[in-house]
Amino acid sequence: MSGVDAADSCLACALTAGTAPLPGGQVLRSGGWVVEHCVGPLGLGTFVVKPLRHVLHIAELTVPESTELGPLLRRVSAAVTEVTAPEQVYVCLWSHSGGVPGHIHFVVQPVDRATMTRFNASGPELQLAMGKAGCFPDPARVERICDRMRGLLG
Ligand SMILES: [Zn+2]
């Protein structure tokens, strides 16, 4: 597979490059990683941590990228906790786009009791239910939460 051709049609790369709409804008660029609010239907305060490079498999991360990853996921999770006061923060990676490997991106998702009660679900079932319900957050609220995250992560 040609990485360049794949990157040309990659939403993650387009969001990083600023050629696709990204409410809230980039929250952090740190080493080989980028943090931004999730554009998918996973609710307000869900952030994405993804490599700057078009990487399809964890095994393809460089040593510096993988060294940066753990501390960055902890930092972003701590900031999400500070901003949203959730019951739990999910950090997960599926990265299958249309059933084929896609640009890897860790989802850092705050989950509270009200959301679990609303959907009567937790874990992957909760994410599936939120997707089906189209839990796209209000862009104005995304802008505000991204400003707060930049303050915490900056
Ligand atoms: Zn990409």
Side-chain angles (χ1 to χ4, degrees):
M1 177 187 294
S2 164
V4 173
D5 288 345
D8 282 347
S9 60
C10 172
L11 176 60
C13 285
L15 291 167
T16 300
T19 56
L22 178 62
Q26 198 170 90
V27 167
L28 181 70
R29 185 179 290 202
S30 175
W33 295 88
V34 174
V35 181
E36 60 197 29
H37 197 280
C38 179
V39 297
L42 292 175
L44 183 68
T46 296
F47 284 81
V48 159
V49 177
K50 67 186 179 185
L52 196 52
R53 295 188 305 124
H54 183 72
V55 177
L56 300 182
H57 308 281
I58 292 286
E60 292 175 352
L61 291 173
T62 64
V63 170
E65 285 166 343
S66 53
T67 301
E68 292 158 3
L69 179 59
L72 181 59
L73 286 176
R74 194 211 63 79
R75 253 176 97 195
V76 173
S77 299
V80 164
T81 299
E82 170 98 14
V83 169
T84 67
E87 185 171 301
Q88 180 57 292
V89 178
Y90 296 168
V91 178
C92 59
L93 171 72
W94 312 117
S95 296
H96 253 156
S97 177
V100 296
H103 191 139
I104 57 173
H105 56 289
F106 291 88
V107 168
V108 180
Q109 179 184 16
V111 175
D112 61 17
R113 180 58 52 184
T115 305
M116 287 188 289
T117 299
R118 176 183 167 195
F119 292 103
N120 190 30
S122 61
E125 289 180 355
L126 178 63
Q127 293 182 329
L128 186 63
M130 292 180 80
K132 284 182 177 171
C135 292
F136 294 99
D138 170 40
R141 295 182 73 192
V142 171
E143 297 276 353
R144 286 197 294 276
I145 208 165
C146 285
D147 285 345
R148 291 190 61 196
M149 288 289 286
R150 268 188 286 273
L152 289 170
L153 293 170

